[in-house]
Amino acid sequence: MNSSSHAPSAPSAPSTPSVPSRRTLLTAAGAVAVLAPLSFTGRAAADPGASGDTETRTLTGRFEIGAPDFAEIPVEVPRGVSRLHVAYSYSSPEVPDGTPGNALDIGIFDQNGTKLGGRGFRGWSGGFRTEFFLSRAEATPGYLAGDIEEGTWNVLLAPYQVAPQGMDYEVVVTLTYGDAEEAIEPQYPPLQAPGRGRDWYRGDAHLHTVHSDGKYTPEQVATAAREAGLDFIVSTDHNTTSSHGVWGPLAGDDLLILTGEEVTTRHGHWLALGMPAGELVEWRYRNRDDEFDRCRKQVQKTDALAVSAHLYCPWIGCEWKFGLEDLDATEVWTGPWGWDDETAVSTWANLLAESARGKGGKRGGTGSWLPAMGNSDAHSPGDSVGSPHNVVLADGLSRDALLAGIRAGRSWLAESADIDLSLVASAGGAEAGIGDRLDVDRDETITVTLEVSGVPDGTVRLLTDQGQLLQTVLAGDGRGTITWTTAAGSAPSCVPRCAIRSRTAPPVAPRWGRRRASGRWQR
């Protein structure tokens, strides 16, 4: 690797230091390479008339197949810097069909260091941007505004995919000297809205914006959520909290906005829902690193939810590999319905049956089960915010009430706000609704009643831990009441659930079709 520099009124950069042996670059978080540092003279900061002067350094290098997960470029930032700008590029050779092409992600950490879970994080854009900047008053979406303090910063490269031909890269860092602008305070959203008291609330808890790999602006997401008839949304940009401080003015009495993160690891993605605004969850690990449990506990300690995302997404690094024990919920429906959703629902139904038989694992045995969620994972105009979404029974429209409802399993999933339903089991004068438990004597008769509206000519399936026990078709107006009766003695651990599919639903097929020119699958 090589470094070069140019700077107005500044001497040439010092010669490139030797590169450490890769054998010394392994950490508990997986392979991390430390590349040649970039040093700046700082001469412009000592000149009172040098405000606005810039100084630039360039590093070039190469990754081969088997490259470490992350590579740090130390940047020695002198005093007096008001703005830091980074641009990068990498080679994209032609690859055979079916072979991943090059994909290189990028982010930055400040003088507080790169320790896992530490205080040094200042931004991440993955592979979505080719450049970014930071200053006290503003920063590129995905990055955190703040002072550019003196010390060792680190540009973090992540060779997500390396083609057989290898990957050549170039990183250009430019510092601007001068007085910093006035800082701008983040505008975090409130934790509650007036709501309707104890009621069913609709919300999409997996959404992206320009603050990670989306093209939606936060304003567009909020508008789309209102148009979809949602009561709440959760912001879940990948591996950053930069959007948290822009949601405040976009929330209102009619829309609660919660802050969160899609934690994007090399072995699957998960959602941290309802996190305290500005609190980051670490993502730089694989399932072999024993880091996931620490991060999950960090989330749950704040009473936020840890939820696995798109269990069977086929893209590199997206399929879930950390197991399902100790999670608060699992996402079984992500965006337009596809084969992977069918598989996720089947996996969840098997876990549901196990919990009813007293094999609930660490979740506590009989009566303790893993709730299911459905979210749009919308990224850009053309993706439907709120399709699907969660309908949650909560004591009010507040962070704590909604998360408690999801955690307790008092929720169901809908493709749109046009759809409504109720599912009730009754016996001996007692009733249990969605997410509740009905204890009955063995000689009692159990009646399960499903009421549906909003699905014209839809197909209704009633299933238990034995499989499908009833199927019928709704009328043209989309309304219907379906009743099923069983004897408690023949179903000692019955877990009734329903699945309703509209007549216009497309056939189950692969849907993960968007691909970037670099060859990286993104979700």
Side-chain angles (χ1 to χ4, degrees):
M1 69 192 65
N2 299 294
S3 63
S4 62
S5 65
H6 62 272
S9 304
S12 301
S15 58
T16 303
S18 61
V19 180
S21 165
R22 183 166 173 197
R23 198 179 318 176
T24 68
L25 304 177
L26 302 180
T27 75
V32 179
V34 179
L35 305 179
L38 298 178
S39 297
F40 292 77
T41 67
R43 175 171 294 185
D47 181 356
S51 180
D53 280 1
T54 62
E55 196 174 2
T56 296
R57 297 288 183 270
T58 299
L59 179 75
T60 60
R62 179 175 175 82
F63 292 117
E64 303 287 355
I65 288 180
D69 286 351
F70 300 99
E72 299 172 358
I73 303 174
V75 179
E76 301 300 334
V77 176
R79 64 180 178 84
V81 174
S82 61
R83 178 184 170 106
L84 184 153
H85 179 274
V86 177
Y88 83 119
S89 60
Y90 55 91
S91 59
S92 297
E94 291 293 327
V95 294
D97 288 344
T99 301
N102 283 334
L104 182 62
D105 292 353
I106 195 168
I108 195 166
F109 288 73
D110 66 18
Q111 77 285 350
N112 289 303
T114 60
K115 179 182 177 182
L116 293 183
R119 299 184 300 111
F121 175 80
R122 289 296 293 270
W124 182 256
S125 50
F128 194 64
R129 300 184 184 279
T130 59
E131 60 182 322
F132 61 86
F133 78 91
L134 304 92
S135 69
R136 176 188 287 178
E138 58 181 340
T140 301
Y143 293 81
L144 306 181
D147 288 332
I148 311 300
E149 296 188 29
E150 181 180 5
T152 302
W153 290 51
N154 282 275
V155 173
L156 186 68
L157 300 180
Y160 199 82
Q161 296 168 185
V162 178
Q165 301 95 319
M167 177 197 297
D168 297 312
Y169 64 86
E170 178 182 84
V171 178
V172 181
V173 179
T174 300
L175 304 183
T176 301
Y177 295 91
D179 296 332
E181 312 98 315
E182 184 176 350
I184 298 177
E185 290 297 318
Q187 296 179 288
Y188 296 133
L191 298 178
Q192 63 182 30
R196 303 180 295 273
R198 186 172 176 83
D199 202 353
W200 293 93
Y201 294 94
R202 296 176 181 267
D204 191 343
H206 188 169
L207 293 162
H208 298 279
T209 72
V210 294
H211 285 263
S212 58
D213 63 340
K215 294 184 179 179
Y216 270 129
T217 65
E219 291 81 3
Q220 288 174 315
V221 169
T223 297
R226 288 182 166 97
E227 292 175 347
L230 302 184
D231 300 297
F232 72 94
I233 59 174
V234 187
S235 165
T236 57
D237 280 307
H238 294 276
N239 300 348
T240 186
T241 60
S242 69
S243 69
H244 291 187
V246 306
W247 288 109
L250 303 176
D253 290 353
D254 62 334
L255 183 67
L256 180 70
I257 301 177
L258 303 181
T259 51
E261 178 186 343
E262 181 168 8
V263 186
T264 307
T265 80
R266 292 301 182 93
H267 278 162
H269 300 186
W270 59 286
L271 307 174
L273 303 180
M275 287 296 292
E279 182 171 335
L280 183 77
V281 182
E282 183 60 68
W283 76 93
R284 291 171 291 163
Y285 48 86
R286 294 176 180 255
N287 62 3
R288 62 175 178 248
D289 298 323
D290 297 326
E291 184 68 15
F292 168 71
D293 280 343
R294 184 194 68 79
C295 296
R296 173 188 56 77
K297 291 175 182 177
Q298 171 198 348
V299 169
Q300 293 171 334
K301 187 176 181 180
T302 69
D303 288 329
L305 303 182
V307 180
S308 54
H310 41 64
L311 290 181
Y312 296 106
C313 174
W315 296 351
I316 291 175
C318 293
E319 189 171 356
W320 185 246
K321 301 296 185 184
F322 292 94
L324 297 172
E325 287 191 340
D326 296 316
L327 292 174
D328 296 297
T330 183
E331 190 177 73
V332 301
W333 184 1
T334 311
W337 185 265
W339 64 265
D340 51 322
D341 300 306
E342 293 273 7
T343 308
V345 168
S346 180
T347 296
W348 171 76
N350 290 340
L351 293 174
L352 191 64
E354 287 181 4
S355 67
R357 295 199 307 270
K359 296 182 178 180
K362 293 182 180 180
R363 295 190 62 82
T366 301
S368 183
W369 51 284
L370 185 67
M373 296 191 71
N375 301 296
S376 72
D377 194 10
H379 282 68
S380 304
D383 296 343
S384 297
V385 172
S387 184
H389 64 263
N390 308 275
V391 189
V392 184
L393 180 60
D395 290 334
L397 188 53
S398 70
R399 172 206 184 257
D400 291 348
L402 289 168
L403 298 185
I406 295 170
R407 190 183 291 111
R410 297 192 301 267
S411 62
W412 55 276
L413 317 182
E415 184 180 46
S416 78
D418 295 332
I419 301 169
D420 202 1
L421 66 77
S422 70
L423 181 65
V424 176
S426 60
E431 290 185 348
I434 294 172
D436 295 332
R437 178 184 176 88
L438 181 67
D439 292 318
V440 298
D441 295 330
R442 292 182 62 84
D443 59 352
E444 287 187 297
T445 298
I446 304 170
T447 300
V448 177
T449 303
L450 170 66
E451 296 182 355
V452 186
S453 64
V455 193
D457 302 313
T459 300
V460 178
R461 302 169 63 215
L462 186 67
L463 306 99
T464 74
D465 46 344
Q466 298 180 64
Q468 179 176 306
L469 297 181
L470 185 151
Q471 178 171 312
T472 188
V473 177
L474 296 171
D477 64 359
R479 297 177 176 273
T481 299
I482 296 92
T483 301
W484 174 70
T485 302
T486 187
S490 65
S493 62
C494 180
V495 282
R497 59 186 180 90
C498 67
I500 306 165
R501 179 166 294 181
S502 68
R503 179 185 60 181
T504 57
V508 174
R511 70 167 188 279
W512 305 98
R514 290 184 300 175
R515 195 177 186 183
R516 247 188 293 167
S518 66
R520 176 177 177 179
W521 298 100
Q522 53 179 44
R523 197 58 177 167

